[in-house]
Amino acid sequence: MQGWDEQDPGVLRLPSGRLVRGRGLRRRLDPAAQTPSYGIYLLGGSPPEVPWDSRWLRWPDFRLPTDREEAREVLAEGWRRAAEERVEIACGGGKGRTGTALACLAVLDGVRPEEAVAYVRAHYDRRAVETPWQRGYVTRFG
Protein backbone atom coordinates (compact mmCIF):
# COMPACT_ATOMS: atom_id res chain seq x y z
CA MET A 1 0.00 0.00 0.00
CA GLN A 2 1.16 3.48 -0.77
CA GLY A 3 1.77 5.77 2.22
CA TRP A 4 0.49 9.23 2.98
CA ASP A 5 1.44 12.22 0.90
CA GLU A 6 3.80 14.05 3.25
CA GLN A 7 2.43 17.39 2.04
CA ASP A 8 -1.11 16.57 3.23
CA PRO A 9 -2.23 18.53 6.31
CA GLY A 10 -1.77 16.63 9.55
CA VAL A 11 0.81 14.15 8.31
CA LEU A 12 3.65 13.65 10.77
CA ARG A 13 6.96 12.14 9.66
CA LEU A 14 8.56 10.15 12.46
CA PRO A 15 12.37 9.90 12.60
CA SER A 16 12.25 6.40 11.04
CA GLY A 17 10.40 7.81 8.02
CA ARG A 18 7.02 6.38 9.00
CA LEU A 19 4.17 8.75 8.18
CA VAL A 20 1.09 9.03 10.40
CA ARG A 21 -1.85 11.37 9.89
CA GLY A 22 -3.36 13.18 12.85
CA ARG A 23 -6.85 14.58 12.42
CA GLY A 24 -9.74 16.24 14.21
CA LEU A 25 -13.00 14.39 13.66
CA ARG A 26 -15.09 17.54 14.08
CA ARG A 27 -13.80 18.72 10.71
CA ARG A 28 -15.15 16.88 7.70
CA LEU A 29 -12.68 14.75 5.81
CA ASP A 30 -12.05 16.22 2.36
CA PRO A 31 -13.63 13.80 -0.16
CA ALA A 32 -10.45 14.06 -2.27
CA ALA A 33 -8.20 13.17 0.69
CA GLN A 34 -6.53 9.79 0.95
CA THR A 35 -8.28 7.38 3.27
CA PRO A 36 -6.42 5.42 5.93
CA SER A 37 -6.05 1.68 5.93
CA TYR A 38 -6.05 1.73 9.74
CA GLY A 39 -7.49 4.30 12.11
CA ILE A 40 -7.11 4.80 15.85
CA TYR A 41 -9.92 6.89 17.33
CA LEU A 42 -9.51 8.48 20.76
CA LEU A 43 -12.91 9.44 22.11
CA GLY A 44 -14.97 9.37 25.27
CA GLY A 45 -17.79 7.61 23.40
CA SER A 46 -18.15 5.34 20.41
CA PRO A 47 -16.56 6.66 17.19
CA PRO A 48 -18.38 7.05 13.90
CA GLU A 49 -18.34 4.01 11.63
CA VAL A 50 -15.59 4.03 9.01
CA PRO A 51 -15.06 1.73 6.01
CA TRP A 52 -11.46 0.86 6.99
CA ASP A 53 -9.91 -1.21 9.76
CA SER A 54 -9.99 0.75 13.02
CA ARG A 55 -9.67 0.64 16.79
CA TRP A 56 -11.37 2.82 19.36
CA LEU A 57 -9.72 3.81 22.60
CA ARG A 58 -11.91 5.26 25.34
CA TRP A 59 -10.09 8.51 26.02
CA PRO A 60 -12.18 11.40 27.38
CA ASP A 61 -11.42 14.91 26.16
CA PHE A 62 -8.53 16.64 28.02
CA ARG A 63 -7.79 13.43 29.94
CA LEU A 64 -5.86 10.18 29.52
CA PRO A 65 -6.87 6.79 28.12
CA THR A 66 -9.07 4.86 30.53
CA ASP A 67 -7.12 1.62 29.93
CA ARG A 68 -3.44 2.49 29.63
CA GLU A 69 -2.32 -1.07 28.86
CA GLU A 70 -4.77 -1.30 25.96
CA ALA A 71 -3.63 2.15 24.79
CA ARG A 72 0.00 1.00 24.70
CA GLU A 73 -0.98 -2.09 22.67
CA VAL A 74 -3.12 -0.16 20.19
CA LEU A 75 -0.53 2.59 19.71
CA ALA A 76 2.24 0.00 19.24
CA GLU A 77 0.12 -1.71 16.59
CA GLY A 78 -0.42 1.65 14.87
CA TRP A 79 3.32 2.33 14.92
CA ARG A 80 4.07 -1.12 13.42
CA ARG A 81 1.41 -0.74 10.73
CA ALA A 82 2.65 2.76 9.79
CA ALA A 83 5.76 1.13 8.30
CA GLU A 84 3.62 -0.21 5.42
CA GLU A 85 0.14 1.30 5.73
CA ARG A 86 -1.68 4.63 5.99
CA VAL A 87 -2.37 5.02 9.71
CA GLU A 88 -4.58 7.80 11.04
CA ILE A 89 -4.95 8.89 14.67
CA ALA A 90 -7.87 11.16 15.48
CA CYS A 91 -9.86 12.67 18.32
CA GLY A 92 -12.50 15.41 18.34
CA GLY A 93 -10.23 18.38 17.71
CA GLY A 94 -7.00 16.68 16.62
CA LYS A 95 -4.77 18.46 19.16
CA GLY A 96 -4.73 17.11 22.73
CA ARG A 97 -5.44 13.39 22.59
CA THR A 98 -4.19 13.04 19.02
CA GLY A 99 -1.02 14.99 19.82
CA THR A 100 -0.46 12.87 22.92
CA ALA A 101 -0.85 9.65 20.93
CA LEU A 102 1.47 10.95 18.19
CA ALA A 103 4.06 11.82 20.85
CA CYS A 104 3.78 8.25 22.16
CA LEU A 105 4.40 6.96 18.61
CA ALA A 106 7.45 9.23 18.46
CA VAL A 107 8.71 7.57 21.66
CA LEU A 108 8.17 4.14 20.09
CA ASP A 109 10.11 5.43 17.09
CA GLY A 110 13.14 6.36 19.20
CA VAL A 111 12.49 9.95 20.31
CA ARG A 112 13.39 10.42 23.97
CA PRO A 113 10.19 10.64 26.07
CA GLU A 114 11.11 14.05 27.47
CA GLU A 115 11.57 15.38 23.89
CA ALA A 116 8.56 13.75 22.23
CA VAL A 117 6.04 16.53 22.94
CA ALA A 118 8.40 19.16 21.50
CA TYR A 119 8.96 16.92 18.46
CA VAL A 120 5.23 16.63 17.77
CA ARG A 121 4.67 20.35 18.34
CA ALA A 122 7.46 21.17 15.89
CA HIS A 123 6.39 18.68 13.19
CA TYR A 124 2.61 18.30 13.60
CA ASP A 125 0.91 21.16 15.48
CA ARG A 126 2.35 23.72 17.88
CA ARG A 127 -0.69 23.30 20.18
CA ALA A 128 -0.50 19.49 20.33
CA VAL A 129 -0.66 17.84 23.77
CA GLU A 130 -2.87 20.24 25.71
CA THR A 131 -2.64 19.37 29.40
CA PRO A 132 0.10 18.79 31.98
CA TRP A 133 -1.14 15.25 32.60
CA GLN A 134 -0.99 14.48 28.85
CA ARG A 135 2.64 15.68 28.84
CA GLY A 136 3.35 13.52 31.90
CA TYR A 137 1.73 10.52 30.20
CA VAL A 138 4.12 10.86 27.25
CA THR A 139 7.12 11.15 29.58
CA ARG A 140 6.05 8.00 31.45
CA PHE A 141 5.23 6.19 28.18
CA GLY A 142 8.92 5.58 27.55
Side-chain angles (χ1 to χ4, degrees):
M1 163 165 281
Q2 203 175 13
W4 294 112
D5 179 348
E6 197 171 353
Q7 303 307 312
D8 282 354
V11 174
L12 170 70
R13 176 178 286 279
L14 295 168
S16 67
R18 287 174 168 89
L19 300 174
V20 181
R21 181 172 72 191
R23 182 166 76 89
L25 294 171
R26 287 192 288 266
R27 281 186 241 134
R28 275 185 72 114
L29 183 61
D30 181 344
Q34 291 178 302
T35 57
S37 56
Y38 181 64
I40 299 173
Y41 300 104
L42 318 168
L43 298 166
S46 298
E49 296 229 3
V50 292
W52 48 81
D53 192 16
S54 67
R55 289 287 302 269
W56 166 50
L57 285 175
R58 184 176 295 278
W59 192 329
D61 201 8
F62 298 107
R63 301 202 193 294
L64 300 175
T66 57
D67 184 334
R68 300 205 181 122
E69 186 175 316
E70 178 188 25
R72 181 175 281 282
E73 292 169 9
V74 170
L75 294 173
E77 179 181 359
W79 177 79
R80 284 189 299 275
R81 292 177 77 156
E84 306 266 330
E85 300 178 51
R86 286 191 305 267
V87 173
E88 167 178 88
I89 297 180
C91 65
K95 305 279 188 250
R97 293 168 286 179
T98 296
T100 303
L102 290 172
C104 291
L105 263 62
V107 170
L108 292 171
D109 205 61
V111 175
R112 293 174 37 144
E114 57 276 1
E115 297 171 358
V117 171
Y119 181 88
V120 170
R121 286 178 174 169
H123 300 284
Y124 169 67
D125 188 292
R126 64 182 178 84
R127 294 182 312 264
V129 190
E130 295 174 313
T131 69
W133 43 92
Q134 289 172 340
R135 286 190 298 276
Y137 179 73
V138 173
T139 302
R140 290 185 304 278
F141 194 81

